[in-house]
Amino acid sequence: MTNIPTDRQYSAEHEWVRIADGTATVGVTQYAADALGDVVYLELPEVGSAVVAGQACGEIESTKSVSELFAPVTGTVSSVNEDATQAPEVVNSDPYGAGWLFTVTVEAEGPLMDAEAYTALTQG
């Protein structure tokens, strides 16, 4: 099992979120990236759009399937990772770093878990 970073929180839908100074950086976990297979396309929310915790806000397409991307927090999208949209395979190679997807100015957090709880979820 991949090492799960402890400096962020996780959703049951396999997104990670790191919140600092009211801004959340969002990505998908290594577990999700491995389950998806080779990521070939990302449809991310637009800058300025509102996202609601627990609701779909985009899609990730792989060679295996298309999966919805869920917002782990409620707020306004403040940036998207254009590099990842141009080279979506970075989600597979570096999901906790260069493969981040978008940032949100946080109004409220959804139900999130720490790394220990997320590890239990994925290894259960």
Side-chain angles (χ1 to χ4, degrees), residues 51-78:
V51 295
V52 177
Q55 293 189 3
C57 63
E59 291 183 345
I60 298 179
E61 184 176 335
S62 71
T63 54
K64 292 182 186 179
S65 66
V66 176
S67 297
E68 289 186 312
L69 179 64
F70 293 90
V73 296
T74 297
T76 303
V77 176
S78 51

Side-chain angles (χ1 to χ4, degrees), residues 88-105:
E89 62 274 8
V90 72
V91 172
N92 295 109
S93 62
D94 191 12
Y96 297 115
W100 67 275
L101 300 178
F102 59 97
T103 62
V104 177
T105 302

